[in-house]
Amino acid sequence: HLNNRGGGENVTDGRKLWNNLEQFLRSKYEGRTTRTTYGSTSIMGEAFAKAAIGLLKKRRRVLVFADTAHEADFLRGVLCDRGLDARSWASIASERRFASSSSLSLSSKGTGSNNNINNNKRVIVAVKSIEGQGINMQ
């Protein structure tokens, strides 16, 4: 019975139904344990990892956008657990600034080949509301 038509206790509240469905999906699909915390993995996290590994095998550069900083931390953790070098956009930019300001290049320090191995597994995880705008996308 809907909208109080014949039987008050069996009335379905659309907002309550939506909230219950959203909570269920966030728990099962996204792996959330609370509004801002996550478990160690999830269906969503595993799907991102599988897609990233597939793209890396095709020698593509992988960029994953997260909705929030909490989600980005979670996704980086899942990707790292799968053996990928998941980094934030800020850490990549900082690394590049350091490398360009250093008088010695990474290859002259003897770490160039190791760096290339990590680049073949590198995934950038960015928060779309922060890093997905303006100069970062160029």
Side-chain angles (χ1 to χ4, degrees):
H1 297 99
L2 298 174
N3 299 326
N4 266 346
R5 294 183 199 155
E9 291 197 24
N10 291 329
V11 174
T12 302
D13 181 351
R15 289 170 299 188
K16 183 177 179 184
L17 181 62
W18 172 257
N19 287 336
N20 289 342
L21 178 61
E22 184 178 35
Q23 184 178 18
F24 173 78
L25 290 175
R26 284 188 172 161
S27 170
K28 296 297 180 190
Y29 180 71
E30 293 180 6
R32 289 190 191 192
T33 54
T34 68
R35 188 176 154 283
T36 58
T37 60
Y38 293 79
S40 61
T41 191
S42 71
I43 295 169
M44 178 187 74
E46 294 300 322
F48 274 85
K50 183 178 179 181
I53 290 168
L55 289 168
L56 289 167
K57 283 181 180 178
K58 294 179 180 179
R59 303 187 121 335
R60 302 287 194 257
R61 296 171 64 191
V62 180
L63 172 61
V64 173
F65 282 105
D67 286 330
T68 66
H70 296 293
E71 186 176 82
D73 291 341
F74 166 69
L75 289 172
R76 274 194 302 274
V78 171
L79 294 167
C80 286
D81 287 348
R82 299 304 167 272
L84 301 176
D85 180 24
R87 307 266 192 99
S88 69
W89 199 302
S91 73
I92 300 293
S94 176
E95 182 180 279
R96 286 185 179 159
R97 279 194 302 272
F98 177 76
S100 67
S101 67
S102 176
S103 61
L104 296 173
S105 71
L106 289 175
S107 60
S108 67
K109 292 180 184 178
T111 59
S113 62
N114 190 25
N115 193 39
N116 286 337
I117 292 168
N118 287 340
N119 281 337
N120 292 338
K121 293 184 175 186
R122 177 160 298 160
V123 178
I124 300 173
V125 180
V127 180
K128 65 183 178 182
S129 62
I130 298 168
E131 299 163 315
Q133 303 178 35
I135 194 72
N136 291 324
M137 295 307 297
Q138 295 179 7

